[in-house]
Amino acid sequence: MRHVPVVVVGAGPAGLLLAQLLHAGGIDCVVLERRDRAYVEARIRAGVLERGTVELLRQAGVGERVAREGLVHTGFWLSVGGRRHHVDLAALTGGGAVTVYGQTEVVKDLIAARVALGQELVFEAADVAVEGFLEERAVVRWTDGGSPRAVSCDFVAGCDGFHGVCRASIPPERLVVRERVYPFAWLGILADAPPPSDELVYVRSDRGFALFSMRGPNVSRSYLQCRTDEDIAAWPDDRIWAELRRRLGDIDAALVHEGPVREKSITPMRSFVAEPLRHGRLLLAGDAAHIVPPTGAKGLNLAASDVHYLSRALLAHYHQGRDDLLETYSSTALARVWKAQRFSWWMTSMLHLGSDPFDDRLRVAELEYLLGSTAARTALAENYVGLPF
Ligand code: RFL
Ligand code: PHB
């Protein structure tokens, strides 16, 4: 059986970025992806990159397009009860900013780079199975166009997202799972229309949360808080635009520009962490190990910070014969994951409308405090631009 140093399961941002960083460090790997290339490149998800994530893309050799086309945002808006308040990220964090650049573009850049390097990337790898990761050698099996395939490896990187096979292969008694499922969801649209502002607008209104984001000066990405069992068929485009305007309030409603809706979907909201991230030769990274609700824009950035710690640990193993970073990978990555969990939970609770009147009134007080306190806004800004890796 062929032996490779590392098998990466999943060609999302975590798996592709890890493969690229390992290649830059002279370590070969095989990347196995269940879907086809077109599907992976078209999946619309995150849009806000922390500085550390942009820097990691640069280190991985794919920093050029994001530097050219990414929109640097030095602030965002909080709209509360119809009035907008500015959060000046740069002033509050001594020059901090985020970059608005679609996850789709990140994935396209990473796939193009791997293909250009002639490195192994298997799309439509079916029935991936991960075995022997607590033994001398791990073995990964899959089927490729109906033919069975297998490789042995030193390490398996489980980067196959929340519904992947890697976490599911770990005996449940070895995992500690902590989870919160929220009683609301997001209805998201991507439309060919300019966003209402050149910065993101997070809205708390008495009709629920809304978010106005973008993928470029003429492409808006907007979200509405909705029920978890919402029927998307009950939301024709006109109803969505009208609701977005209502949540933004009378003063700003006219800023909402309508345009052809290219994508429409409903996203459930969940906080989830499965610990530890290492099980012998199997190392989990990104959504395979943890999920945050999207309100804090942290999911993709956590995938990037996990991969930073993991690539560093694997390269130290191969080049310096040291395993201390592999041994501490889980605790190091999780320390940052839990801080982002706290922030994402806090942003989500503060901005969404709940069902408990007391809790809802507390959230309004929290927002009023935030708007009136530079200290509180500094804590928000520091977390939003991203804690150091
Ligand atoms: P992914 O992207 O889910 O990739 C996993 C890959 O593994 C493949 N796979 C398998 N391959 C082989 N065999 C199997 N058995 C497999 N099972 C699965 C899948 O096909 C897929 O290609 O996980 P990864 O790489 O960890 O990346 C995580 C991010 O995708 C995710 O955290 C973010 O999208 C979350 N997120 C956001 N994060 C941010 O940092 N900023 C944001 O602004 C932001 N906004 C969002 C978001 C997620 C959203 N949704 C749809 C949940 C907005 C939304 C609406
Ligand atoms: C997005 O542009 O998709 C986006 C932006 C900010 C968030 C979540 C999603 O907090």
Side-chain angles (χ1 to χ4, degrees):
M1 189 184 297
R2 181 160 72 110
H3 186 84
V4 292
V6 180
V7 172
V8 175
V9 184
L16 290 165
L17 187 55
L18 177 65
Q20 206 61 18
L21 291 166
L22 291 179
H23 176 79
I27 301 302
D28 281 345
C29 62
V30 173
V31 181
L32 300 176
E33 166 58 47
R34 189 170 50 149
R35 304 286 193 165
D36 63 31
R37 179 172 177 175
Y39 182 93
V40 171
E41 291 190 338
R43 208 162 28 196
I44 293 161
R45 287 194 172 172
V48 175
L49 308 185
E50 295 172 1
R51 184 171 287 173
T53 303
V54 175
E55 170 56 22
L56 210 54
L57 291 171
R58 197 189 60 74
Q59 284 171 24
V62 292
E64 198 225 321
R65 196 160 71 98
V66 62
R68 201 176 57 239
E69 295 179 17
L71 308 170
V72 174
H73 283 205
T74 56
F76 65 82
W77 295 93
L78 277 173
S79 165
V80 183
R83 295 188 72 87
R84 262 196 295 152
H85 308 265
H86 194 238
V87 178
D88 188 336
L89 295 171
L92 291 162
T93 61
V98 292
T99 300
V100 174
Y101 188 70
Q103 179 169 327
T104 328
E105 306 310 312
V106 171
V107 166
K108 280 189 211 156
D109 293 348
L110 285 164
I111 291 177
R114 189 153 179 88
V115 169
L117 289 165
Q119 295 296 304
E120 208 167 338
L121 168 52
V122 182
F123 287 105
E124 297 179 81
D127 313 318
V128 172
V130 181
E131 300 162 6
F133 51 85
L134 299 175
E135 292 155 29
E136 205 46 39
R137 275 188 173 191
V139 173
V140 181
R141 300 179 194 282
W142 73 98
T143 35
D144 189 356
S147 308
R149 303 259 188 259
V151 287
S152 67
C153 59
D154 305 331
F155 298 101
V156 179
C159 302
D160 49 348
F162 187 64
H163 300 288
V165 70
C166 290
R167 193 182 70 253
S169 306
I170 299 164
E173 65 276 11
R174 288 179 181 260
L175 280 176
V176 176
V177 171
R178 295 182 178 87
E179 174 168 40
R180 171 154 306 175
V181 177
Y182 297 84
F184 39 74
W186 280 12
L187 192 167
I189 58 163
L190 184 75
D192 292 317
S197 155
D198 56 7
E199 294 183 333
L200 271 61
V201 188
Y202 289 82
V203 183
R204 186 186 156 108
S205 80
D206 56 14
R207 300 179 65 88
F209 171 81
L211 169 61
F212 295 87
S213 181
M214 65 196 74
R215 290 293 178 273
N218 292 309
V219 181
S220 58
R221 177 76 172 147
S222 316
Y223 300 96
L224 287 170
Q225 175 182 353
C226 65
R227 293 200 324 266
T228 50
D229 62 350
E230 198 76 60
D231 176 11
I232 204 156
W235 286 88
D237 299 354
D238 286 352
R239 182 175 172 206
I240 295 175
W241 292 118
E243 189 60 29
L244 285 167
R245 274 194 297 270
R246 271 194 217 111
R247 293 196 190 180
L248 199 51
D250 292 343
I251 302 170
D252 288 335
L255 300 174
V256 177
H257 306 285
E258 296 188 15
V261 174
R262 275 201 263 148
E263 199 250 6
K264 200 188 286 187
S265 58
I266 292 183
T267 305
M269 311 276 279
R270 183 194 293 271
S271 301
F272 174 98
V273 183
E275 305 188 28
L277 304 186
R278 179 177 179 195
H279 299 265
R281 299 179 180 281
L282 173 60
L283 300 134
L284 301 176
D287 277 17
H290 42 75
I291 296 282
V292 287
T295 326
K298 291 292 168 233
L300 169 59
N301 294 300
L302 283 182
S305 61
D306 283 0
V307 160
H308 162 73
Y309 298 124
L310 182 53
S311 60
R312 199 178 59 168
L314 289 168
L315 292 174
H317 169 85
Y318 286 108
H319 294 316
Q320 296 160 26
R322 345 177 343 213
D323 282 346
D324 55 323
L325 295 179
L326 272 174
E327 275 146 27
T328 54
Y329 163 62
S330 182
S331 55
T332 309
L334 284 170
R336 191 171 189 281
V337 165
W338 274 108
K339 289 184 195 119
Q341 285 287 355
R342 184 207 68 80
F343 177 68
S344 304
W345 159 82
W346 174 75
M347 281 277 277
T348 302
S349 339
M350 183 173 64
L351 292 170
H352 289 73
L353 207 59
S355 51
D356 183 288
F358 188 83
D359 285 351
D360 267 328
R361 192 59 192 82
L362 283 181
R363 285 164 193 149
V364 173
E366 176 99 37
L367 262 171
E368 283 171 357
Y369 171 61
L370 183 70
L371 297 175
S373 159
T374 307
R377 278 200 313 285
T378 303
L380 163 68
E382 201 170 80
N383 282 277
Y384 192 84
V385 301
L387 299 176
F389 285 9

